[in-house]
Amino acid sequence: AQKVTQAQTEISVVEKEDVTLDCVYETRDTTYYLFWYKQPPSGELVFLIRRNSFDEQNEISGRYSWNFQKSTSSFNFTITASQVVDSAVYFCALSEAGAIGANSKLTFGKGITLSVRP
Amino acid sequence: EPEVTQTPSHQVTQMGQEVILRCVPISNHLYFYWYRQILGQKVEFLVSFYNNEISEKSEIFDDQFSVERPDGSNFTLKIRSTKLEDSAMYFCASTASGVLVGELFFGEGSRLTVL
């Protein structure tokens, strides 16, 4: 069975600090996909990134960066120079490959509530 | 920008009542989903729907739940006889054929409160 663990539940930082959100996953699949979603106070879920299990190259997008370590089954997310608008709940998720077409059953972690204070 | 829309945003109902949550997926999308999030907990997969039939469902999605695409635009989740533990935020999502797996477009959610 697939499992996603986000051990941190709440993180509070001061604006401009860097913050790393941890994600550890379990799966028996050799091919799988990992994701991060953001849930701002308005409630919707916003897709941030998708990574497949064959691509361990780290990715940077503006102030966001992701570190995928297959050896430790981790997919951590770092926000550099955090801003108040980054305050949200962040979910890590896992999906098996081999899904038919675009059929996507995601297994989510419990989420990390990030509060960025001015 | 196209978006998934859900109605109602919040519904309060009595235990045992039937509830229908409505979703309008993005127009050219073919795969539809319902997820739920009990307050303060993780988001859980309920069901996926493609080509007018359920393609996968979770253990949560028991006989009290059903989904339907009654016309070319709406995608509904019906709970026949609500229980207290059905209180949650319900998210509809959709994605298109050819879109990368997992890159779902979620609606803003419908909060269901069962009293």
Side-chain angles (χ1 to χ4, degrees):
Chain A
Q2 299 185 330
K3 185 179 178 182
V4 175
T5 301
Q6 296 180 261
Q8 304 150 310
T9 53
E10 293 184 23
I11 300 175
S12 181
V13 299
V14 177
E15 207 170 19
K16 298 183 183 175
E17 284 185 25
D18 299 346
V19 58
T20 295
L21 311 181
D22 298 333
C23 174
V24 174
Y25 62 92
E26 295 175 30
T27 179
R28 293 178 184 169
D29 296 328
T30 54
T31 304
Y32 49 89
Y33 300 93
L34 295 162
F35 310 85
W36 278 93
Y37 277 82
K38 174 181 179 180
Q39 186 178 38
S42 51
E44 75 275 24
L45 289 162
V46 179
F47 169 84
L48 294 178
I49 190 171
R50 171 189 184 272
R51 172 68 71 218
N52 75 54
S53 53
F54 294 111
D55 183 2
E56 289 194 69
Q57 189 171 7
N58 292 330
E59 180 158 341
I60 298 175
S61 176
R63 296 185 297 107
Y64 295 170
S65 62
W66 291 269
N67 185 323
F68 177 30
Q69 298 277 347
K70 205 168 179 178
S71 59
T72 56
S73 297
S74 65
F75 185 45
N76 296 337
F77 173 27
T78 297
I79 302 175
T80 303
S82 59
Q83 298 175 2
V84 172
V85 293
D86 295 327
S87 296
V89 181
Y90 290 87
F91 291 95
C92 181
L94 171 67
S95 174
E96 63 186 21
I100 299 171
N103 197 13
S104 298
K105 172 186 172 184
L106 299 179
T107 299
F108 284 82
K110 289 187 176 182
I112 302 169
T113 300
L114 174 65
S115 299
V116 182
R117 308 187 306 276
Chain B
E1 185 175 317
E3 58 181 17
V4 175
T5 57
Q6 291 185 238
T7 54
S9 56
H10 188 193
Q11 181 159 356
V12 181
T13 190
Q14 295 290 325
M15 191 169 56
Q17 294 296 304
E18 176 183 283
V19 162
I20 297 176
L21 305 179
R22 291 182 170 80
C23 170
V24 179
I26 295 173
S27 62
N28 64 339
H29 285 186
L30 300 175
Y31 297 83
F32 313 113
Y33 310 83
W34 285 100
Y35 283 78
R36 82 171 185 189
Q37 182 183 27
I38 295 173
L39 185 62
Q41 299 189 25
K42 63 182 177 181
V43 179
E44 301 173 292
F45 170 80
L46 289 179
V47 66
S48 59
F49 190 87
Y50 171 69
N51 200 26
N52 282 320
E53 60 182 25
I54 291 173
S55 45
E56 189 168 359
K57 59 183 181 180
S58 71
E59 294 176 353
I60 303 167
F61 195 87
D62 62 21
D63 292 344
Q64 291 298 312
F65 291 90
S66 63
V67 289
E68 191 178 31
R69 188 155 164 81
D71 53 41
S73 60
N74 290 285
F75 179 52
T76 61
L77 174 69
K78 182 194 289 186
I79 308 174
R80 288 191 185 82
S81 178
T82 50
K83 303 188 284 278
L84 295 176
E85 53 265 38
D86 293 328
S87 295
M89 180 75 89
Y90 289 82
F91 290 100
C92 175
S94 69
T95 193
S97 178
V99 170
L100 298 177
V101 168
E103 191 168 337
L104 302 180
F105 294 81
F106 282 88
E108 293 192 349
S110 293
R111 180 169 297 285
L112 175 64
T113 302
V114 182
L115 303 177

